[in-house]
Amino acid sequence: MLGALVSSSSSTFLSSSLGKSSSSLSRSSVPAFSRLSVRSMADSAFKKIQIQRDDTTFDAYVVGKDDAPGIVVIQEWWGVEVEIKNHAIKISQLDPGFKALIPDLYRGKVGLDAAEAKHLMDGLDWPGAVKDISDSVNWLKANGSKKVGVTGMCMGGALAIASSVLIPEVDAVVGFYGTPSSELADPAQAKAPIQAHFGELDHIVGFSDVTAARNLEEKLKASGVAHEVHIYPGNGHAFLNRSPEGVSRRKSLGDSDDDEAAVELAWSRFNSWMKHYLA
């Protein structure tokens, strides 16, 4: 099961539409030298740290200026891999500069194909993931960031929105193509400002399709927090993913849109939101 994150209909969709493509999403989808060179460049930008949670620790990856506003960047179902690291690096370089931190929710494991990613997400300790995010926010605030936001994509997008409900220390949220189920967190109880982004052609029913986006918008209206919900015409799920590996995976899953203008618009909106609330 997917824990409290997605409904049974979303789980069925993920299993059928993503799982059936896992054979085409093997580690040979992109030439090995390309994957390794991109990962090497991404890895070198980060400082690896350990954060205390209860009686254990977890790894996290930090990039950006020490005293900049902080942003916790939550992984997709693949784990902490090149795409989420690329997003964190981009966030750190946006004006006026942010300090991005990726908590490793999978404890070092990465899904190399859709079947592995689904297995990892199915086995995730969801309440523990929320604790990881909370401790990451507090680490940033204790280490130079006066205000801290949370963002994430897909699975991470749902957890980012949930953090507005469950983590009082969060100052702003931007979620991409993911919504939490009411069992995890009710967005009508959100406390931090939320901006959310969805692709018009996203077909993950009840999780990130247009209906899910509209339902989220209604709940945010009820919450009373500042919010924006943006839907990008002609774009599918995970439209921000622009690395060669990310593009290959999206095409294998049936998302062939290539809309650089939408990507840049989403990042511009992200930057304006976080700059406004974290300044």
Side-chain angles (χ1 to χ4, degrees):
M1 300 297 293
L2 297 181
L5 178 62
V6 294
S7 66
S8 58
S9 61
S10 299
S11 176
T12 300
F13 184 91
L14 286 167
S15 299
S16 60
S17 66
L18 298 184
K20 70 184 180 182
S21 301
S22 61
S23 60
S24 63
L25 290 175
S26 68
R27 50 190 90 186
S28 61
S29 296
V30 178
F33 69 86
S34 174
R35 297 200 317 275
L36 291 173
S37 61
V38 170
R39 284 175 179 152
S40 177
M41 287 186 289
D43 290 344
S44 65
F46 289 87
K47 175 184 178 182
K48 184 178 178 180
I49 63 169
Q50 288 195 319
I51 296 176
Q52 188 76 29
R53 193 194 102 190
D54 300 328
D55 58 352
T56 186
T57 61
F58 62 91
D59 291 338
Y61 300 86
V62 182
V63 60
K65 297 185 295 183
D66 283 343
D67 59 349
I71 298 180
V72 177
V73 184
I74 312 172
Q75 67 196 54
E76 296 179 286
W77 75 334
W78 306 103
V80 179
E81 44 75 75
V82 64
E83 203 72 65
I84 201 66
K85 288 185 175 180
N86 285 344
H87 293 330
I89 291 170
K90 182 174 184 66
I91 288 167
S92 74
Q93 295 171 346
L94 293 172
D95 180 58
F98 297 99
K99 185 177 181 179
L101 183 154
I102 308 170
D104 188 350
L105 304 185
Y106 287 169
R107 302 299 190 261
K109 297 178 181 178
V110 175
L112 296 177
D113 56 41
E116 289 183 6
K118 180 182 183 304
H119 175 74
L120 289 168
M121 185 169 70
D122 286 354
L124 182 64
D125 171 11
W126 297 103
V130 172
K131 287 185 179 181
D132 286 355
I133 298 164
S134 177
D135 288 331
S136 296
V137 169
N138 289 329
W139 186 94
L140 283 166
K141 289 197 171 187
N143 287 272
S145 298
K146 293 181 181 179
K147 291 190 176 181
V148 176
V150 178
T151 191
M153 294 77 185
C154 186
M155 180 185 87
L159 284 166
I161 291 170
S163 74
S164 174
V165 179
L166 301 172
I167 304 173
E169 296 81 8
V170 172
D171 295 299
V173 165
V174 178
F176 291 91
Y177 30 84
T179 59
S181 74
S182 58
E183 290 83 5
L184 178 62
D186 181 2
Q189 303 299 318
K191 300 173 183 66
I194 294 177
Q195 184 186 79
H197 303 260
F198 298 88
E200 177 193 31
L201 303 182
D202 195 319
H203 298 302
I204 305 183
V205 176
F207 179 69
S208 53
D209 64 342
V210 170
T211 299
R214 293 305 183 202
N215 288 341
L216 172 66
E217 189 170 31
E218 290 304 310
K219 287 181 176 292
L220 293 178
K221 287 178 182 177
S223 75
V225 300
H227 64 276
E228 295 177 358
V229 176
H230 300 287
I231 298 175
Y232 297 79
N235 283 266
H237 192 72
F239 64 87
L240 283 188
N241 293 353
R242 307 306 301 157
S243 74
E245 187 168 356
V247 170
S248 177
R249 287 193 305 215
R250 294 188 71 247
K251 287 182 177 179
S252 296
L253 296 173
D255 291 310
S256 58
D257 52 277
D258 185 11
D259 189 350
E260 201 64 46
V263 173
E264 290 307 312
L265 178 58
W267 280 121
S268 175
R269 287 168 167 166
F270 170 98
N271 191 31
S272 295
W273 191 260
M274 289 301 198
K275 186 161 56 174
H276 178 76
Y277 286 105
L278 302 185

